[in-house]
Every structure is written in C-alpha cells, then in structure tokens.
Amino acid sequence: MTVHGIDTLCWSSAAGTRRAGWPASAHGPGHELLRMQRWPLRSHLELRALPASVRSARQHATTTLHEWQLQALADSVELLASELVTNAVRASASAAPQIRFWLTSDRRSVLIQVWDGGHSHPIRQAGGPDAEAGRGLLIVETLSTRWGCYASQQQDGKIVWAVCTH
C-alpha cells in the first residue's frame, strides 16, 4: 500500500498468515494475548515515525475492517489506531525511524498492536478541559475491552495493544 508522501508496506489476509513482521511474544504478553495474535484475520503495516502516518493507519484500519466485513467496529478501531499510532510516533521521535501496526481478528473482536522504538510505557495523564494532550489513553480505555503494553522480544522498544469487541 502506498500513501502519498509516506512509504508504507502492507500485508493483509482473510485467512492466510504472513508470519514475518508479526510480534514475537516469548516472554512479553500473557497467554490470552498470544491466543489473540493467532486469530485468522491479519494485517500488518510498516510506517515512518511521522505525524502523517497516523492518517495512513486510520485509513488502513477502515479499509481492512471493511475487507473483513467488520464495519460495525470500524469507527472504534479507527480511533484506537489513531491514538496508539500517535503515541508511537511521539515515542519514536528520538528512538527509531519507523513504527509497526498490526490488526488481528477472530471475526468478532479486533486486536490492534503498535510497536515503537521507545522504552517508556504509556501513562494516562490528567487532562483538564483546556489541555491539548493527555486524553489519548482515556479514549483507549473507554473504547477497548482491554489494553496493555509489553517490551518487544524482537528488538528494542515496546508494543502497545488494545482489543475492540462488538
């Protein structure tokens, strides 16, 4: 997939699996997350760590969920993707020039995962009515059934994830 002004690389499949580029999880996530990573519907996108990549991730999420016939989850997944990728872009500013974005589904729920080269785990900040930042994780907590973060086993950085269910 190529989006004007951003180099992206995308794999999407309705049944088959492209294992390359999928998060390794030997010690990081728990058993339930490992099970979700094996769901049959999978899509992977690599993006530059630039603010414009957030739009690419949202578009990819919307297109992929339409392809998977999961339009009912599209708005929530698009917003979750936007928040997680925005945080990854910010965390990667000095760490890594790229981020990775995965979608996985069992046809009822969608697992969203975003890798960035940063080491600090996301922390919800108190965002007052006039604050320009600090509401992202509140949105993630509100729209997802579960979310979390773990250190990447493949390379430096972390993977932040969220699950969205009908």
Side-chain angles (χ1 to χ4, degrees), residues 22 33 35-37 39-43 57 60-62 64-81 84 101-113 140 143-147 160-166:
W22 229 257
L33 186 56
R35 185 186 62 75
M36 288 185 281
Q37 289 175 342
W39 283 343
L41 302 175
R42 300 171 180 221
S43 181
H60 179 73
T62 301
T64 301
L65 266 58
H66 179 73
E67 205 177 280
W68 293 347
Q69 299 179 357
L70 291 170
Q71 293 91 332
L73 294 174
D75 289 342
S76 294
V77 169
E78 182 181 345
L79 190 51
L80 286 165
L84 296 180
F101 173 64
W102 297 272
L103 295 173
T104 314
S105 178
D106 65 350
R107 302 185 196 287
R108 288 186 350 229
S109 299
V110 175
L111 169 63
I112 304 148
Q113 298 180 93
V140 171
L143 293 178
S144 65
T145 54
R146 291 189 318 270
W147 76 278
V160 181
W161 59 273
V163 177
C164 187
T165 304
H166 279 287

Side-chain angles (χ1 to χ4, degrees), residues 4 8 17 23 25 29 34 40 63 68 78 86-87 90 99 105 110 116 120-121 130 134 136 145 148 153 161 165-166:
H4 182 67
T8 60
T17 305
S25 356
L34 289 172
T63 301
W68 293 347
E78 182 181 345
T86 295
N87 288 345
R90 288 181 182 151
I99 59 174
S105 178
V110 175
D116 67 67
S120 59
H121 289 233
D130 296 331
T145 54
Q153 299 298 314
W161 59 273
T165 304
H166 279 287

